[in-house]
Amino acid sequence: MIWYKSVARTLFGGNMAPLEKKRLEYRPKIPGVLHDLSRVRFVPAEKTAHVREEIAHDFPKTKDRSAHRLMSAIPVKINSLRIGVFFSGGPAAGGHNVIWGLFEALQQLGAGSCLIGFLSGALGLLENQFKNLSQKAIDPYRNQGGFDLIGTGRTKIETEAQMAAAMQSVQEHRLDGLVVIGGDDSNTNAAHLAEYFLRKGCKTAVIGVPKTIDGDLRSSEIEIAFGFDSACKTYAETIGNICRDAKSTQKYYHFIKLMGRSASHIALECAFATQPNLTLIGEEKKGLEQIVEEIVCLIEQRKQAGKEYGVILIPEGLIEFVPEMQGLIQEPRLLDLDPHGNVKVSQIETEKLLASLVKKKLPSLAAQEHFLGYEGRCCFPSNFDANYAYSLGLAATLAVRDGLTGAICSISHLHKSPEEWTVNASPIVSLMVMEKRRGKEIPVIQKAIVDIKGTLFVKFSSLRKDWEMEDRYLYPGPIQFFGDVQSEPPNTLKESV
Ligand code: FBP
């Protein structure tokens, strides 16, 4: 504890805000199974991972790999490892803790270990732009938000030339492992790299770490990716503040669009955290007219009850479930795709569109539109994400040590205390499906959308009528780093067990 303080003081002096410095002191809580890395090993799990036939065809070298679980056992003796890491896609709070975890696990292995970070995402790997991640480099980033230690990017690795460039970089650095910290598309990249390296006889293992604020990288093993909790808590603070403003001034309807790409997980999580009057969930697949009618009806009913204000949450991915909405928005930029073929939904002003359509029916409506997106990606990680991401970093080093490749690390039982968490690694190919991107069927990790038959959504449906008319707003305030609720997992995890 004392040395953290001295590091902060000597390295940064007055260049850190008080909370930045304070966060350097936090020691992440880890699963019991990670307390002594010299006494655990990834062993094949009882349940074999199922790989779809059409996917297996593209991944002959990695299709038959088993799922693994970290168990008490004496590992194969390895004194040092060389690992490379990069961030991929949008930032998510906790990323720096994954690097810290990787580093500390390597330190425990032995003196000859090294960690290098490729800069600006996969591009750094392709161009061999990197940085040595020493203790001195990592220290100021412990428990801090963002990905700025090494940067990130959305470069897709797809061509044979790109695969070869990636292999050249890992071989030049004699890497035992390459860790890809990313979402669904980035881990799809990782699966392709693992397959290619095996095919070419390259010994570098490729291990994925699940990151994304969107909450859509999930499977039976991956309960949530890191970053979701911190982003939702950040948005929930602002939504709560807006609810209170709405109730205080009683003159506006607030249309709040929330980031989260296709799936509405963030909107659903924030709905539980703040209980606004209406939360649209894309996965309900309502038509545009129905949605507008629903909002109009809400506003009219509330008016009759003397309430001419309210708060409405809109997931940014709504547009993907309401086909008429795409046609209504004329600007060509709105159909821009990212390098992975995803529609850039964060740039589509759905909140403004809906407010204007409602206004056509209710001209006296006083609306305020908001977009909560980028501000949730680089906040300080909540203690939950700080613990989770750090543990994933430790696990990823062990996955390399234990000879896994083409696997994504995950942690289960996240609704319990960290001590009780269990650590797994699943073959990435078992998460993949064929999907049409840019008009072509390609293998990708399936995005998990909100299950409208699932426990969480069913609970939401039973409560939402009450939230419409009664103001049941909750004001969660900023992320809590100290005190009773400092390590609360997201509602999504608590409610879905
Ligand atoms: P990842 O899937 O890479 O984690 O990114 C998530 C996200 O924040 C989405 O919620 C959002 O639609 C998108 O990134 C925005 O991307 P960009 O940073 O390219 O504007």
Side-chain angles (χ1 to χ4, degrees):
M1 177 100 50
I2 292 161
W3 74 268
Y4 286 141
K5 284 187 184 161
S6 79
V7 164
R9 241 191 336 264
T10 49
L11 284 178
F12 319 107
N15 291 332
M16 291 186 107
L19 190 57
E20 283 181 74
K21 281 189 199 168
K22 192 76 194 155
R23 290 307 286 159
L24 292 176
E25 293 171 19
Y26 181 72
R27 186 77 208 167
K29 312 255 181 310
I30 58 172
V33 72
L34 288 172
H35 283 310
D36 183 352
L37 306 186
S38 68
R39 290 181 184 279
V40 286
R41 189 170 62 209
F42 274 107
V43 297
E46 278 161 29
K47 223 170 62 188
T48 52
H50 171 73
V51 179
R52 290 174 171 80
E53 231 177 272
E54 62 280 20
I55 301 294
H57 178 262
D58 283 5
F59 293 88
K61 299 276 181 200
T62 43
K63 71 178 167 61
D64 294 322
R65 307 231 147 200
S66 4
H68 283 73
R69 175 142 304 164
L70 198 65
M71 307 284 272
S72 295
I74 302 302
V76 181
K77 184 85 186 125
I78 286 178
N79 295 323
S80 65
L81 284 176
R82 300 176 64 82
I83 292 186
V85 59
F86 66 89
F87 290 126
S88 184
H96 291 134
N97 275 26
V98 179
I99 290 183
W100 181 19
L102 285 167
F103 181 80
E104 293 218 322
L106 285 171
Q107 292 300 101
Q108 289 183 39
L109 275 180
S113 292
C114 97
L115 181 64
I116 65 161
F118 291 103
L119 307 179
S120 311
L123 186 65
L125 172 69
L126 301 185
E127 297 183 347
N128 199 13
Q129 298 291 324
F130 67 96
K131 175 175 183 168
N132 281 315
L133 295 172
S134 60
Q135 177 123 30
K136 194 172 161 201
I138 295 170
D139 272 342
Y141 291 89
R142 293 167 192 234
N143 305 309
Q144 310 290 319
F147 280 2
D148 45 317
L149 172 57
I150 52 175
T152 185
R154 290 202 184 275
T155 300
K156 182 168 169 58
I157 303 177
E158 46 191 344
T159 65
E160 183 79 18
Q162 285 174 316
M163 296 280 176
M167 194 168 85
Q168 197 176 333
S169 295
V170 299
Q171 285 182 330
E172 203 158 297
H173 293 286
R174 293 177 288 112
L175 296 183
D176 299 292
L178 176 68
V179 174
V180 180
I181 305 173
D184 50 337
D185 293 323
S186 317
N187 278 290
T188 296
N189 265 348
H192 283 293
L193 276 179
E195 180 73 24
Y196 181 84
F197 288 175
L198 284 174
R199 183 149 55 86
K200 296 287 175 186
C202 166
K203 293 204 162 36
T204 307
V206 185
I207 300 297
V209 169
K211 163 245 62 158
T212 181
I213 66 159
D214 296 353
D216 61 356
L217 176 49
R218 287 199 204 183
S219 68
S220 49
E221 299 287 342
I222 307 171
E223 296 180 0
I224 200 76
F226 78 81
F228 174 79
D229 182 56
S230 312
C232 291
K233 285 185 168 132
T234 301
Y235 301 143
E237 178 195 2
T238 302
I239 297 164
N241 295 348
I242 292 174
C243 289
R244 197 142 229 173
D245 193 288
K247 201 171 160 80
S248 303
T249 59
Q250 308 214 347
K251 61 179 180 179
Y252 294 124
Y253 267 88
H254 295 271
F255 288 69
I256 308 175
K257 184 180 81 164
L258 291 165
M259 207 173 232
R261 195 123 42 205
S262 317
S264 309
H265 298 293
I266 290 181
L268 191 55
E269 172 68 24
C270 291
F272 277 103
T274 60
Q275 304 186 172
N277 304 107
L278 182 66
T279 301
L280 300 173
I281 299 294
E283 288 81 345
E284 287 191 275
K285 295 191 178 151
K286 292 180 178 163
L288 184 58
E289 213 170 296
Q290 189 185 356
I291 292 171
V292 172
E293 208 37 60
E294 211 171 290
I295 301 175
V296 168
C297 189
L298 171 87
I299 295 173
E300 282 178 334
Q301 279 181 13
R302 284 179 62 87
K303 188 175 179 178
Q304 279 167 23
K307 297 176 179 180
E308 296 198 59
Y309 60 92
V311 176
I312 299 167
L313 302 187
I314 305 159
E316 70 173 11
L318 187 74
I319 190 145
E320 295 201 6
F321 295 96
V322 183
E324 311 105 283
M325 289 180 83
Q326 295 185 14
L328 272 169
I329 301 167
Q330 299 304 324
E331 289 179 69
R333 76 177 171 87
L334 296 176
L335 290 177
D336 274 1
L337 301 176
D338 75 6
H340 298 270
N342 300 298
V343 178
K344 290 187 181 173
V345 281
S346 62
Q347 294 175 21
I348 303 173
E349 296 177 320
T350 325
E351 72 287 13
K352 293 196 176 152
L353 173 77
L354 284 180
S356 74
L357 290 174
V358 173
K359 243 179 154 167
K360 275 192 185 154
K361 301 202 174 207
L362 300 172
S364 64
L365 173 74
Q368 294 291 344
E369 298 102 5
H370 315 258
F371 169 38
L372 304 183
Y374 297 94
E375 57 272 65
R377 305 197 307 184
C378 285
C379 54
F380 286 106
S382 61
N383 284 355
F384 173 84
D385 273 330
N387 298 340
Y388 180 28
Y390 177 82
S391 302
L392 284 169
L394 297 176
T397 297
L398 298 185
V400 174
R401 181 200 67 185
D402 294 347
L404 274 53
T405 189
I408 184 166
C409 290
S410 66
I411 292 184
S412 305
H413 305 113
L414 289 169
H415 62 286
K416 298 186 179 169
S417 78
E419 187 65 28
E420 297 174 78
W421 293 352
T422 54
V423 180
N424 322 297
S426 323
I428 301 175
V429 287
S430 67
L431 309 177
M432 292 171 96
V433 293
M434 296 303 280
E435 204 178 284
K436 204 174 226 170
R437 297 272 178 98
R438 298 176 194 276
K440 210 174 133 201
E441 290 279 336
I442 55 166
V444 292
I445 294 179
Q446 187 169 33
K447 284 190 194 341
I449 59 174
V450 168
D451 176 7
I452 58 165
K453 293 203 178 96
T455 331
L456 194 65
F457 184 83
V458 170
K459 178 161 185 202
F460 164 73
S461 315
S462 71
L463 294 168
R464 62 178 161 182
K465 201 79 214 143
D466 179 55
W467 298 350
E468 275 180 15
M469 293 304 295
E470 307 305 325
D471 296 341
R472 304 283 190 204
Y473 306 141
L474 297 175
Y475 313 112
I479 295 178
Q480 306 290 297
F481 297 114
F482 315 98
D484 288 350
V485 294
Q486 58 170 296
S487 296
E488 280 291 284
N491 295 287
T492 301
L493 292 177
K494 284 187 282 181
E495 299 296 342
S496 53
V497 289

